[in-house]
Amino acid sequence: MKMAELSAETGVAVATVKYYIREGLLPPGERTSVNQAQYGEAHVKRIRLIRALTEIAELPISEVRRVVEALDEGRSAPEALGAAQDALTSRYREGRGEERGDRLLAELVTRRGWQIMAESPTRTMAAEALAAVDEAGLLGIKEHLDDYAAAAENVARTDLETIEEFQEREDLVYGAAIGTVLRRPLLDALIMLAQQHETIRRGFAG
Amino acid sequence: MKMAELSAETGVAVATVKYYIREGLLPPGERTSVNQAQYGEAHVKRIRLIRALTEIAELPISEVRRVVEALDEGRSAPEALGAAQDALTSRYREGRGEERGDRLLAELVTRRGWQIMAESPTRTMAAEALAAVDEAGLLGIKEHLDDYAAAAENVARTDLETIEEFQEREDLVYGAAIGTVLRRPLLDALIMLAQQHETIRRGFAG
């Protein structure tokens, strides 16, 4: 298809498509004449990924580039998932985590028997979140940490199942990256709706 | 305690504490002389809440005010939880949700037997997230929607349990508001760590 058709198909303005190409997020089309090029299904898919990453995950272009690079370098699905995790937790990249949070997390990881990376922004994020919970005196959350971890295991298992179902390699990598990003606000919203239900069910008058 | 002690106790600069009072987020201290006032434990607690809402939840001051107003107006715990939900989903307040997402959500709500508010920014957020998943062709997530909903129910049930354990009313309302805000990044991080574990456990080479 031509640039105008690609724009119509994806609902993204021509100027924006050109910007994506200039930024190296989208491969250029196959040139058919001096000022015309052809675009294919891969371009449509890539644009949908970029839109999801910028609009839904609200990632800056620099982080979108990291995810896209993982795709272009043909890395494996777990690596693509890792790149998506990394982009989503970029603000923790420079953090060191807090000692108290680190200790609480290490205890939890041992209890659950989790095999995880020794260092990652995700780990820093978890340690900081635990330290904040501890500092706020939210004993309830600390006491129910294993309940939250068990729920997290169920979500992660389901995430991996949704990824495994992709048949083609390209779809699989796409699913790993975009699935992580799109599932997050979905689960957040479902939890809050379930809170509404649970509050009403319990007749919880506070 | 005096203003300087309140600042030392909370680690928040005097100028910032004064800003919170000016903005009506923090009640003024009890005046003991023309230019001195006394502050108590309630001030320490309130400052911790404001810091959590601004730094961890990254809410703008206008949204922090909504949560704080729910506290000051002495509303019930479910109302405080509702105010926290509302602040966290403020960007969906003006949204209308997408028709396709609305339909998918309505079906899910019926299947799960959820009693939820007919309209809320949270509902719009869920509908938009579902529409995005659908548009991205993530069939796996759509097919596993009930698995995610079941995990969401477990998290919400645990959330309510952590809130119920608060003995004093003020603590309970504080727990409802801050618990929702602090538990979110914690669960996000735990899910990503569980993804790392699950990926390694499955020897998932992609």
Side-chain angles (χ1 to χ4, degrees):
Chain A
M1 67 192 91
K2 292 175 192 166
M3 170 68 86
E5 292 164 313
L6 179 64
S7 167
E9 171 80 19
T10 56
V12 172
V14 167
T16 308
V17 174
K18 286 182 177 169
Y19 167 70
Y20 292 158
I21 295 175
R22 234 171 25 243
E23 287 288 319
L25 303 177
L26 186 70
E30 200 180 322
R31 206 147 279 287
T32 50
S33 73
V34 178
N35 52 17
Q36 211 155 62
Q38 283 289 319
Y39 302 87
E41 220 22 67
H43 289 91
V44 174
K45 220 172 233 180
R46 173 60 59 91
I47 288 174
R48 291 211 174 119
L49 172 63
I50 298 169
R51 297 307 276 182
L53 293 172
T54 52
E55 295 195 349
I56 300 179
E58 297 184 315
L59 295 184
I61 290 293
S62 58
E63 295 301 328
V64 173
R65 185 175 291 114
R66 293 172 75 103
V67 177
V68 161
E69 276 171 3
L71 294 183
D72 288 342
E73 288 167 12
R75 297 198 216 140
S76 67
E79 281 173 321
L81 196 137
Q85 279 198 1
D86 215 54
L88 287 169
T89 54
S90 60
R91 50 183 284 244
Y92 298 95
R93 210 171 283 146
E94 301 304 320
R96 298 171 303 117
E98 295 199 29
E99 206 181 304
R100 196 167 31 172
D102 280 338
R103 203 179 55 241
L104 285 168
L105 179 61
E107 287 166 7
L108 178 69
V109 166
T110 304
R111 280 205 304 279
R112 308 304 301 181
W114 283 355
Q115 287 183 276
I116 59 171
M117 288 159 70
E119 277 182 42
S120 66
T122 305
R123 200 174 173 130
T124 306
M125 178 182 175
E128 284 189 14
L130 274 171
V133 161
D134 192 39
E135 192 175 334
L138 294 170
L139 297 176
I141 292 184
K142 262 175 77 181
E143 278 162 20
H144 287 90
L145 211 46
D146 281 88
D147 294 329
Y148 288 119
E153 286 167 9
N154 284 332
V155 172
R157 221 169 284 136
T158 307
D159 284 344
L160 270 284
E161 276 164 26
T162 69
I163 291 172
E164 280 183 325
E165 279 161 17
F166 285 94
Q167 294 296 313
E168 296 195 16
R169 205 192 152 287
E170 195 189 337
D171 287 342
L172 191 147
V173 176
Y174 171 80
I178 206 175
T180 303
V181 164
L182 288 186
R183 193 268 299 136
R184 188 142 85 152
L186 175 62
L187 184 68
D188 274 346
L190 292 182
I191 290 171
M192 288 190 280
L193 293 179
Q195 284 177 345
Q196 291 181 8
H197 170 65
E198 192 67 18
T199 304
I200 292 171
R201 197 182 68 76
R202 295 188 179 211
F204 188 34
Chain B
M1 68 191 91
K2 292 175 192 167
M3 170 70 85
E5 292 164 315
L6 178 64
S7 168
E9 171 79 19
T10 57
V12 172
V14 167
T16 308
V17 174
K18 286 182 176 167
Y19 168 71
Y20 292 158
I21 293 175
R22 234 169 27 241
E23 288 288 319
L25 303 177
L26 186 70
E30 200 180 323
R31 205 149 279 288
T32 50
S33 74
V34 177
N35 52 16
Q36 210 154 61
Q38 283 289 319
Y39 302 87
E41 218 26 65
H43 289 91
V44 173
K45 219 173 233 178
R46 173 61 59 90
I47 289 174
R48 291 212 174 115
L49 173 62
I50 298 169
R51 298 306 275 182
L53 293 172
T54 52
E55 295 195 350
I56 300 178
E58 298 183 315
L59 295 184
I61 290 292
S62 58
E63 295 301 328
V64 173
R65 185 174 293 115
R66 293 172 75 102
V67 177
V68 161
E69 276 170 3
L71 294 183
D72 288 342
E73 289 167 12
R75 296 198 218 142
S76 67
E79 282 172 320
L81 195 136
Q85 278 198 3
D86 215 53
L88 287 169
T89 54
S90 60
R91 50 182 285 246
Y92 298 94
R93 210 170 285 147
E94 302 303 320
R96 298 171 304 118
E98 296 200 26
E99 208 181 303
R100 195 168 30 174
D102 281 337
R103 203 179 54 241
L104 285 167
L105 180 62
E107 287 165 8
L108 179 69
V109 167
T110 303
R111 279 204 305 281
R112 309 303 301 181
W114 283 355
Q115 288 182 274
I116 58 172
M117 289 159 71
E119 277 182 43
S120 66
T122 304
R123 199 174 175 132
T124 307
M125 177 181 176
E128 284 189 13
L130 274 172
V133 161
D134 192 40
E135 191 175 334
L138 293 170
L139 297 176
I141 292 185
K142 261 176 77 180
E143 278 162 20
H144 287 90
L145 210 46
D146 280 89
D147 295 328
Y148 288 119
E153 287 167 8
N154 285 333
V155 172
R157 220 169 285 135
T158 307
D159 284 344
L160 271 283
E161 275 164 27
T162 69
I163 291 173
E164 280 183 326
E165 279 160 19
F166 284 94
Q167 294 296 314
E168 297 195 16
R169 207 193 150 285
E170 194 188 339
D171 288 341
L172 191 148
V173 176
Y174 172 80
I178 206 175
T180 304
V181 164
L182 288 186
R183 194 267 300 136
R184 187 142 85 152
L186 175 63
L187 183 68
D188 274 345
L190 292 182
I191 290 170
M192 288 191 280
L193 292 179
Q195 283 177 346
Q196 290 182 9
H197 170 65
E198 192 66 17
T199 304
I200 292 170
R201 198 182 66 78
R202 294 188 178 211
F204 187 35

